[in-house]
Amino acid sequence: MGRFEMAVRVIRSHSHDVFFNLALEEFLLSSIKPQSHVLMLWRNNPCVVIGKFQNPFKECHFQRMTCEGVALARRHSGGGAVFHDLGNSCFSILSPRHTFDKKHNAEMIINALTKVGIPLTALSLSSRGDLLLHLRKFSGAAYKLTRDAALHHATLLLHTDIDNKLLRYLNPYKPLLSSTAVASVPSRVINLQTECPSISHSSVSDAITKTFVEKYGDNRSVVVEDWDEQTAQNIPFIADAFSRNKSWDWLYGSTPPFSMKFEQLFDWGMVTLAMNVRDGRVESVDLISSCGDFDPFLREFQKQLIGAQFDLAGLQLAVQNAVRMFENDIAINGIANDLSAFLLESL
């Protein structure tokens, strides 16, 4: 059989680039044969991965992520936002659509975890498909169905810094953001290391591989395939998917329509700013200010916001463009700095 025609395949990605790993996963889903079952094991450098139908501005602390080098990625499946780092292992199970059974997949992972020393009595499966350790979530799953194939992928919290990392970047309180996007459901989480101090990405990967091959290998030996950017360098599909996954249009432009309101009392006056956003760009703006002295600048800022990209760079560019109309006014420069700092903090 050719490399992409094997009935059972196990892929281990040695890349920690979330955009590459998502592109590789897309490629595997697009090229899976009708009779095949594929397992992909991977992990990423620090990033937040949101679901296809989510709003990143509602799910993430953008200021913290930007300042601390945490990437944003959007996957092609549904579900909620997840924090990834090297203390968090990921698995992807790809199968023919007619054989897809998410409960059986979850039970297979539970079986694998008993092989690394976690008692079966400590593990359970929630009604939402989450995997639980002592009734606290350590794994959330998402799914994608194509005409012929199915993808079931999930994270496994091994030894992530929950308090200082995971909770730091996820689920900010933004009551003035109204969106039709799918919202994440916060859960009490736990690391598997709590139960098994020696657990590692390598030990979990070995256990899942063994369990997967036992289930689908039909007593045949399965050679684990090692992949990284060099392995995939001659596959156009992966290169295209990698570029698309990093693009502004995918990360922000595909966000469902939403509205967001900003209110702040500055030393120089109160500003209320309400924006409607569609396709990732500001569609309309209402701006109210209690400071008439600076009204011309604020009206120019409002004008510059129309059509701007709704992200940190786009909003701050609107401020900068408005300032150019008043570049010799020291007071206006101070107001612009205040607005930029406030927008950065608000996102």
Side-chain angles (χ1 to χ4, degrees):
M1 287 186 177
R3 185 174 190 181
F4 304 131
E5 298 176 354
M6 296 172 62
V8 177
R9 299 178 66 196
V10 177
I11 312 291
R12 291 200 190 188
S13 173
H14 295 277
S15 171
H16 297 151
D17 186 320
V18 62
F19 302 108
F20 171 80
N21 284 326
L22 290 174
L24 174 58
E25 185 184 63
E26 287 180 64
F27 170 68
L28 295 173
L29 183 63
S30 72
S31 60
I32 190 172
K33 299 300 179 181
Q35 74 280 14
S36 295
H37 294 270
V38 179
L39 171 68
M40 176 180 164
L41 298 161
W42 46 297
R43 57 180 176 162
N44 298 311
N45 288 324
C47 61
V48 171
V49 182
I50 62 173
K52 180 178 181 179
F53 307 105
Q54 289 200 291
N55 184 325
F57 302 100
K58 192 171 183 66
E59 301 296 331
C60 310
H61 282 285
F62 266 93
Q63 183 198 25
R64 296 174 184 174
M65 290 171 61
T66 301
C67 294
E68 297 169 21
V70 176
L72 171 71
R74 184 189 292 272
R75 62 181 181 269
H76 288 263
S77 60
V82 188
F83 174 71
H84 290 216
D85 67 4
L86 296 182
N88 179 14
S89 293
C90 304
F91 68 84
S92 305
I93 299 171
L94 303 97
S95 60
R97 179 165 177 161
H98 70 275
T99 68
F100 172 65
D101 189 320
K102 60 184 180 182
K103 183 179 180 182
H104 286 175
N105 288 340
E107 290 171 346
M108 181 175 64
I109 299 302
I110 288 176
N111 184 20
L113 292 174
T114 65
K115 290 180 168 62
V116 297
I118 298 179
L120 180 61
T121 54
L123 299 167
S124 57
L125 177 65
S126 78
S127 59
R128 298 182 63 251
D130 298 331
L131 297 179
L132 310 178
L133 174 67
H134 300 304
L135 301 181
R136 295 177 68 177
K137 178 179 176 179
F138 67 87
S139 176
Y143 317 95
K144 179 179 179 179
L145 300 176
T146 67
R147 186 182 66 179
D148 300 317
L151 166 66
H152 175 163
H153 55 186
T155 55
L156 298 169
L157 287 172
L158 304 186
H159 48 81
T160 289
D161 187 341
I162 292 173
D163 292 330
N164 296 316
K165 296 293 184 179
L166 186 151
L167 297 178
R168 179 170 175 77
Y169 303 121
L170 293 179
N171 301 124
Y173 178 65
K174 294 185 178 177
L176 298 181
L177 191 156
S178 176
S179 175
T180 59
V182 173
S184 296
V185 179
S187 303
R188 295 175 66 235
V189 295
I190 189 172
N191 279 313
L192 289 171
Q193 192 181 55
T194 304
E195 185 69 32
C196 180
S198 63
I199 200 167
S200 67
H201 177 68
S202 178
S203 65
V204 165
S205 296
D206 288 344
I208 295 176
T209 297
K210 187 176 188 299
T211 306
F212 183 80
V213 172
E214 287 173 352
K215 183 175 180 64
Y216 296 112
D218 195 24
N219 296 319
R220 291 173 293 183
S221 62
V222 176
V223 176
V224 175
E225 303 173 38
D226 296 311
W227 283 69
D228 57 20
E229 288 87 348
Q230 186 174 0
T231 314
Q233 64 182 344
N234 295 320
I235 302 177
F237 184 103
I238 294 180
D240 292 343
F242 177 84
S243 296
R244 182 173 62 252
N245 289 340
K246 293 189 73 171
S247 70
W248 185 91
D249 285 342
W250 175 243
L251 293 175
Y252 302 103
S254 59
T255 301
F258 67 98
S259 61
M260 190 164 184
K261 187 177 182 180
F262 302 87
E263 288 184 325
Q264 180 68 14
L265 177 61
F266 299 98
D267 292 341
W268 42 268
M270 169 71 80
V271 172
T272 301
L273 187 64
M275 288 181 272
N276 292 314
V277 182
R278 181 178 296 274
D279 299 327
R281 293 183 179 273
V282 179
E283 186 176 54
S284 63
V285 183
D286 288 326
L287 189 153
I288 301 172
S289 170
S290 65
C291 185
D293 292 345
F294 301 116
D295 190 64
F297 166 72
L298 294 172
R299 293 306 155 205
E300 181 62 27
F301 173 49
Q302 180 180 12
K303 176 183 174 182
Q304 293 292 337
L305 282 171
I306 301 297
Q309 294 181 351
F310 190 92
D311 58 16
L312 289 174
L315 296 181
Q316 292 191 330
L317 180 60
V319 175
Q320 294 166 14
N321 288 339
V323 168
R324 289 194 182 98
M325 305 294 291
F326 306 85
E327 57 186 357
N328 295 321
D329 191 319
I330 296 176
I332 293 296
N333 287 326
I335 290 174
N337 290 335
D338 287 347
L339 284 173
S340 291
F342 170 63
L343 291 170
L344 176 64
E345 179 66 30
S346 298
L347 293 184

